[in-house]
Amino acid sequence: MIGLALAASVIATMAAAPGVGATTSTAITPTSSTSVAALTTTAIDKPWYSTEQYYLGLLNCTRTGGWVLADGTCRGYGSGHYSRYVKPLTYVYGISDRVSRPYAKLLATRGVCTHFADHDPGYRLRRAGYLHWTWGENIGCRDGYSTAKAAVLASHRVFQAEKSTNGGHWRNIKNANYRWVGIGIWRYGSRTRLVVDFYG
């Protein structure tokens, strides 16, 4: 009997151990007075998160029919004035943290600009658990800009300028089938890479 209790205790200890490189925090859940849940999280490196949020504003300005000006301000957000109104995209932390930002880092550190340095965008989304087949990706590659913010503004203005030719970046921005977006930005030296993963 004592052996059984000891074995159960050892198994329970092994099941609760965090993985290598993970940190564990314990929180009491309100589901019952006796239940305690262990949450395992890993630290996410996102040094340009504020610029990712800034880019979300640029993206949704254009998407909702506004127009991003050279100084980074938006004219006519939500108006449908400069192009048809499409509902704003919702930022998804999981796509940003597990797909877009790691890919932006890979592109920046390698000094390349391609959708295929690590398979294709759909593969990267599915590998992270996003299994829908409705997706698209825009990549902005700018070298020599003084800040990441200036670089992503320049990339977005190029995407927005495709309105006149109905280019692929423009079509992704205006595609109403996409409801969510992951945004990743990485800067390496003077290279800035912007990865925008649209998801439906």
Side-chain angles (χ1 to χ4, degrees), residues 23-196:
T23 58
T24 300
S25 59
T26 303
I28 306 236
T29 59
T31 55
S32 76
S33 59
T34 58
S35 67
V36 175
L39 303 175
T40 302
T41 59
T42 53
I44 303 293
D45 190 15
K46 44 184 165 185
W48 295 280
Y49 174 74
S50 63
T51 307
E52 292 171 4
Q53 292 302 298
Y54 166 74
Y55 184 73
L56 178 64
L58 300 180
L59 179 63
N60 279 331
C61 170
T62 302
R63 184 169 168 92
T64 63
W67 197 256
V68 174
L69 305 177
D71 65 358
T73 59
C74 174
R75 180 177 291 160
Y77 187 102
S79 67
H81 179 74
Y82 296 93
S83 62
R84 71 181 167 81
Y85 174 88
V86 180
K87 184 178 175 183
L89 292 161
T90 301
Y91 182 89
V92 179
Y93 288 91
I95 295 175
S96 298
D97 294 346
R98 297 169 56 203
V99 182
S100 309
R101 194 175 308 108
Y103 193 60
K105 182 177 182 179
L106 182 147
L107 295 177
T109 56
R110 288 189 187 174
V112 297
C113 186
T114 175
H115 294 282
F116 305 104
D118 178 19
H119 303 285
D120 65 69
Y123 176 88
R124 292 190 296 274
L125 284 161
R126 289 189 301 277
R127 182 174 62 197
Y130 296 93
L131 305 179
H132 289 189
W133 289 92
T134 304
W135 54 263
E137 182 175 80
N138 286 354
I139 293 177
C141 303
R142 294 287 175 266
D143 297 346
Y145 283 79
S146 59
T147 66
K149 188 175 179 180
V152 300
L153 173 59
S155 289
H156 185 75
R157 299 259 302 155
V158 168
F159 300 161
Q160 183 178 255
E162 292 180 6
K163 175 186 177 187
S164 61
T165 60
N166 200 31
H169 299 104
W170 173 262
R171 289 194 313 271
N172 279 341
I173 291 169
K174 299 300 284 186
N175 189 333
N177 292 320
Y178 302 141
R179 295 182 289 166
W180 301 286
V181 69
I183 299 169
I185 295 171
W186 203 267
R187 190 165 170 85
Y188 185 79
S190 66
R191 291 194 294 261
T192 303
R193 297 297 183 262
L194 163 68
V195 176
V196 185

